[in-house]
Amino acid sequence: MKKRGLLNGIKVALLAAATALLLSGCDSSSMIVLDPKGPVGHTELKLIILSAILCAIVVIPVLGILVYIILRYRDKPGNKAPYQPDWDDSKTLEAIWWGIPIVIIAILGVFTVKGIHTLTKPPVQNAKPITIQVTSLDWKWLFEYPEQGIATVNHVEIPAGVPVQFELMADGPMNSFWVPQLGGQEYTMPGMAMRLWLQADQPGKYFGSGANFTGEGFAHMRFDVVAKPQADFNKWVEKVKKTSPAMTTDTYANLKKKGLSDVKYFSSYPKDNFKKVLNKNGGQYMKMKGMKKDDSQFHEMKDMEDMSDMSEMDMDHN
């Protein structure tokens, strides 16, 4: 009786500790991945929840069966269970523990492919998207606005409710661009421009960072994404144009050097800076499905590919 009471006490203590541990992480402010503020983030949250449910379908019964087997079939005095040394398998059990994972992976695969496919297009179709070109450096982020003609460092502002196409590359070590509340990560690589659609449904300030280790300054590669109403965004652009210096080729060369940087604003930047840096390092551009030939973004992408081809021809000629 004393042993049973002790065992029950241990169970209660473990249950209380597990509950306290789980509840300690229930503060939504510290779980920004589970607090999406845009359509891309909501799509990815659904995949996270689905994955958790499917995993729980396997993990919880397995843990329960494990505890049952340990308690039910443990060796003890007076055990009269039959000894069966020649028993080796059960076709029924093997069908269960192979069949369930196969079904789960199939379900998860279908929903994942379907969800990811929708993320290759603008989140909404009733608003004109904007493009922001992003370059990861050591250890800072450069944002160039080709349509507005301005640039920023470690700070980006976007209009709320408007799809934003981020074109991403690195002029240094490979990194990963991540704004948890707006969407998932996308790698930045030298010589390859990747595309990522994001959108903020409402005005606010959202945390962004590099999610790939790149050296001692990696922890400081953070930036704010500020979403504003369209009118306020336009005012911000005009303010940057009027009050900020121009970014020159020398300015970019200094930014490229290893080191940390404060938030900076530039009223302009060297023409086609993103394309030139891209082509210098390789010049590959990720195509997006569903892009029409009369789309301005298609022609921009085609121009970049043509520039890359010309660069390769010059190198072969030399």
Side-chain angles (χ1 to χ4, degrees), residues 246-266:
M247 185 177 78
T248 64
T249 303
D250 291 337
T251 305
Y252 179 79
N254 288 327
L255 283 173
K256 188 179 182 302
K257 296 178 181 178
K258 287 186 178 181
L260 306 180
S261 175
D262 296 327
V263 174
K264 297 181 184 295
Y265 304 93
F266 299 100

Side-chain angles (χ1 to χ4, degrees), residues 22-70:
L22 292 175
L23 290 178
S24 66
C26 290
D27 182 7
S28 61
S29 64
S30 63
M31 301 174 64
I32 55 179
V33 175
L34 304 181
D35 184 27
K37 299 299 183 181
V40 176
H42 283 290
T43 298
E44 293 177 350
L45 177 61
K46 292 177 181 178
L47 290 177
I48 292 174
I49 294 175
L50 176 63
S51 300
I53 292 173
L54 293 177
C55 289
I57 291 175
V58 174
V59 172
I60 293 176
V62 168
L63 293 178
I65 292 172
L66 174 63
V67 173
Y68 172 77
I69 290 175
I70 292 174

